[in-house]
Amino acid sequence: MTRHLHFALPVVLVACGGGEGGSAAEAGAGAPGAPGEAGLDAGAGRTSDAQPNTPDAATGDIGPLPSLEAVSGDLTFVERFRAGAPETGHLYSIQTDGNLRLRLTAEAADWGAHAVGPDRRYIAALRRRPDDGFGEVWIIDVSRHEAWPISPSTCDARAGGVGWRDQVQVMFSASCDGQPAGVYLAAFEDRTRDASHLLAVPAGAEPVREVFPAVGTSLFAYAADHEVCSGGRCFLKPQIWVADVDSDVRCQLTDGDLGFDDAETFTGADVLLGDRQPAFSVDLRAVTFARNVGGKGAGPEGHFDAFRIGVDLGALYGGRPTCAMTASETDLTARLLDDAYRLPGGESGPASETYPQLATAGGAIAGGLLFVARRPELGFGEVVFVDLTGTKTTLSTPGAEAVAARWITPQFDTSGIR
């Protein structure tokens, strides 16, 4: 399999181009520990340049946050140090070689999708409330060790993505006051949580599940909940769209697998047989996403493979309804990855490739693929990086549960937008 990756990966990947926040002293001292964990910051086969942020088995004290001016490393991820326990999640940053792992959150919580800001000091992150499961958008200041929510308390962002429009504005999707989910912009320093301060972004008539703004540009990708009916029943088949904030143009990029309608692969309450979690490549000419596929067992959200598709920005700005590059859609999992992981209990089996994203920096990681392999019903989640030589590196802690990951991207290449 490694040999296959070594030859195929360069060709395919390059072809397309809560509560209120408080200080660390208030929030971090009592974070629950993970008894029996020998070292959360030193995974097998790698070392760390950072001081370990390891829960003490006796006291449950995770220790102080490191002194930072900005987020370091190549990527960030969320890891629950007790698998299956959402309240034990923390955000971390790390290099793709496994070094310089640093904890970024003072308070353990049900953290999820997130993005580091263009100046690397602030992080926008989704966090679920423990009482009603509502998702809130939080800002984390890694320099002052502070965190605060910015989304209104009546808005639920649990199903949405989050990212930075620029150095001031954060974009996210949320359902507010029971209305269908839409796209919003908010100032990251606005702690009032006043709904009237939100700026609604046009994104079509259908509810928006997730967003991915390309920071420093006017482009964003999102998943729209499109309802389809087959065999006398109806379900949602999310589609990936691309839009421009400033010119208010949008185009459809994907339509899921039109031949796949097997709801029996879902064990959870929601059936979403389509495409999720879009992410732009650094040159804005491709989008990666996770797609529901069959034949790989059942799970709460079915099974996901990692896909990539080319984006025709000329079609977007030309006002065309669709903008996918011809014959560019690729199942990266089927073509490139050995879709088998060592699961809890020692057995090997398939896992979903979620949050797929092509590398947004150069050097040794250029062209590589980042994703989170997940089997949530087993409490299994690993952050995985596959480089251009076909080497697959697990960056999260064995035995813990990773749930989301993202490259740190200060800017995108806008030379091909117009």
Side-chain angles (χ1 to χ4, degrees):
M1 190 64 196
T2 300
R3 181 175 297 177
H4 172 67
L5 278 166
H6 177 78
F7 290 106
L9 193 61
V11 174
V12 175
L13 297 188
V14 180
C16 284
E20 298 301 319
S23 67
E26 295 169 332
E37 289 288 336
L40 259 156
D41 289 347
R46 66 176 187 265
T47 59
S48 174
D49 295 334
Q51 293 295 318
N53 301 131
T54 309
D56 183 271
T59 66
D61 185 2
I62 201 170
L65 283 169
S67 178
L68 297 173
E69 290 299 318
V71 179
S72 61
D74 300 314
L75 63 121
T76 51
F77 63 95
V78 174
E79 181 179 276
R80 299 167 180 170
F81 56 76
R82 277 206 306 271
E87 72 278 5
T88 67
H90 275 292
L91 270 76
Y92 294 88
S93 63
I94 199 169
Q95 294 178 170
T96 51
D97 60 6
N99 290 323
L100 202 65
R101 172 180 164 133
L102 295 170
R103 180 167 56 91
L104 305 173
T105 43
E107 183 178 9
D110 189 358
W111 299 103
H114 60 277
V116 176
D119 66 357
R120 288 178 171 251
R121 174 177 169 178
Y122 300 98
I123 306 169
L126 298 186
R127 170 176 167 170
R128 286 200 184 194
R129 297 197 298 240
D131 52 352
D132 58 10
F134 266 37
E136 298 179 318
V137 180
W138 282 64
I139 301 299
I140 301 163
D141 182 345
V142 300
S143 178
R144 298 188 62 184
H145 294 174
E146 291 184 343
W148 61 90
I150 61 170
S151 57
S153 60
T154 56
C155 291
D156 181 8
R158 82 178 81 183
V162 65
W164 295 80
R165 167 74 168 85
D166 49 37
Q167 290 189 335
V168 175
Q169 293 179 304
V170 171
M171 179 182 287
F172 59 93
S173 60
S175 171
C176 296
D177 299 310
Q179 298 300 307
V183 181
Y184 298 95
L185 287 170
F188 86 94
E189 291 184 312
D190 186 353
R191 307 191 191 196
T192 66
R193 308 188 72 181
D194 188 334
S196 67
H197 294 179
L198 296 181
L199 177 63
V201 177
E206 295 178 315
V208 174
R209 180 157 298 275
E210 290 144 343
V211 296
F212 184 103
V215 63
T217 79
S218 55
L219 289 171
F220 67 99
Y222 63 96
D225 280 349
H226 178 62
E227 185 179 55
V228 297
C229 297
S230 175
R233 57 192 173 85
C234 299
F235 48 84
L236 295 178
K237 187 178 282 288
Q239 303 167 331
I240 304 301
W241 286 66
V242 172
D244 184 283
V245 175
D246 295 336
S247 57
D248 192 21
V249 293
R250 68 187 69 90
C251 59
Q252 183 181 338
L253 195 59
T254 76
D255 199 13
D257 182 350
L258 297 178
F260 178 57
D261 61 357
D262 183 10
E264 298 302 318
T265 61
F266 289 76
T267 60
D270 297 328
V271 177
L272 301 165
L273 289 163
D275 300 336
R276 307 272 303 276
Q277 301 162 354
F280 273 109
S281 63
V282 70
D283 61 3
L284 302 171
R285 296 181 182 180
V287 166
T288 49
F289 58 94
R291 169 173 289 179
N292 284 123
V293 298
K296 297 184 178 181
E301 297 183 322
H303 185 94
F304 291 106
D305 273 4
F307 276 72
R308 189 221 63 226
I309 193 167
V311 182
D312 183 351
L313 294 176
L316 168 68
Y317 292 110
R320 296 181 218 166
T322 59
C323 54
M325 295 289 290
T326 303
S328 65
E329 186 175 280
T330 304
D331 185 340
L332 298 176
T333 299
R335 189 163 180 176
L336 304 175
L337 300 174
D338 179 2
D339 191 19
Y341 302 86
R342 186 170 297 280
L343 303 174
E347 71 275 16
S348 178
S352 290
E353 282 81 35
T354 61
Y355 291 96
Q357 187 181 6
L358 301 179
T360 56
I365 69 173
L369 178 68
L370 176 72
F371 61 91
V372 180
R374 292 213 68 201
R375 285 285 295 274
E377 74 277 14
L378 301 178
F380 171 80
E382 292 183 347
V383 179
V384 181
F385 171 66
V386 181
D387 67 16
L388 287 177
T389 70
T391 301
K392 183 188 292 185
T393 304
T394 299
L395 296 171
S396 52
T397 308
E401 180 188 10
V403 296
R406 190 158 176 181
W407 293 113
I408 299 172
T409 312
Q411 62 183 12
F412 284 80
D413 178 5
T414 61
S415 60
I417 287 186
R418 295 184 186 275

